[in-house]
Amino acid sequence: MEMLGNRRLGITQQQAWEALNDPETLKKCIPGCDKFEAVGDNQYAVALAVKIGPVSAKFNGKVALADISPPDSYKLSFEGQGGVAGFAKGSSSVTLKPVADASPGCELDYTVQAQVGGKIAQLGQRLIDGAAKSTADDFFKRFEVEMQSRYGPSPAAVAESAEAPAAAEPSEKTGAMAGFMRKIGIGRKSDKSASDTEEPAD
């Protein structure tokens, strides 16, 4: 299985780097994660519950970081055993960079290559890929909520909420003006003149 993606985050590159290297944050944000603990230099013990189609399993494994270049990128390798459900192993690369238009926030690029075996492998590639994408989406939703609770709404979200009432204002003014015109008879007059100019039907 291969998966790659790009996400725009409403926090600074440094804030994103710190969060993505914080075991407690990762434990909160990874769906089904019960444990994400440091067991050595850049090595972590992980336990998480996984459900893919009809197969549910508790995986225990480890994650190791390498090629660490703060606050820009790192690579990680992972492997886990899920008993009769099977196993999973693979690698991933994560890259952070400022957004191209120099607005607040940063961009995260990631790639994942993974292999699965056992019952999970028998489920079919489409089901496995769908579960992986759903897990990634769920992770980033949780991550965004966690970052907002820690640092407040992103500047982009604040700007959007500030622009929303302003965008609604012209239509309200237009509605008020139309009502005023109808009140003084302009609207009815135009309707009347239009009906006056109609030719009688033969």
Side-chain angles (χ1 to χ4, degrees):
M1 181 198 78
E2 290 190 15
M3 184 171 64
L4 55 89
N6 172 273
R7 297 279 175 158
R8 184 161 178 165
L9 306 176
I11 52 177
T12 68
Q13 184 175 341
Q14 184 63 37
Q15 288 169 340
W17 176 264
E18 290 171 1
L20 292 169
N21 283 274
D22 176 34
E24 199 57 40
T25 299
L26 294 173
K27 179 184 172 184
K28 283 183 182 179
C29 298
I30 296 172
C33 186
D34 297 322
K35 180 172 78 171
F36 203 111
E37 297 175 354
V39 293
D41 287 344
N42 302 315
Q43 294 190 26
Y44 303 89
V46 181
L48 66 157
V50 175
K51 188 176 191 311
I52 303 176
V55 177
S56 297
K58 181 91 176 251
F59 276 81
N60 288 285
K62 60 183 180 179
V63 171
L65 303 185
D67 297 341
I68 303 169
S69 177
D72 300 319
S73 63
Y74 61 66
K75 293 181 180 178
L76 62 86
S77 58
F78 58 88
E79 58 181 64
Q81 293 288 338
V84 294
F87 69 89
K89 64 179 181 178
S91 61
S92 175
S93 63
V94 176
T95 303
L96 291 166
K97 60 186 177 184
V99 291
D101 58 7
S103 60
C106 64
E107 285 187 8
L108 182 150
D109 291 303
Y110 65 91
T111 62
V112 181
Q113 294 87 33
Q115 294 176 302
V116 295
K119 281 187 179 180
I120 289 177
Q122 297 168 13
L123 294 174
Q125 197 64 45
R126 182 176 295 180
L127 198 58
I128 294 170
D129 288 350
K133 184 180 183 304
S134 176
T135 298
D137 289 343
D138 197 5
F139 169 82
F140 283 109
K141 284 177 185 174
R142 294 177 182 215
F143 188 78
E144 187 174 336
V145 169
E146 178 66 19
M147 293 303 97
Q148 284 190 5
S149 70
R150 191 176 299 183
Y151 300 112
S154 67
V158 172
E160 283 177 15
S161 63
E163 286 172 7
E169 198 174 324
S171 61
E172 288 173 7
K173 284 183 178 177
T174 303
M177 182 60 74
F180 175 71
M181 290 172 69
R182 282 196 297 271
K183 187 176 285 188
I184 63 175
I186 293 176
R188 286 195 298 272
K189 183 178 179 182
S190 61
D191 293 341
K192 184 174 184 298
S193 61
S195 61
D196 290 344
T197 56
E198 285 182 7
E199 294 292 333
D202 291 333

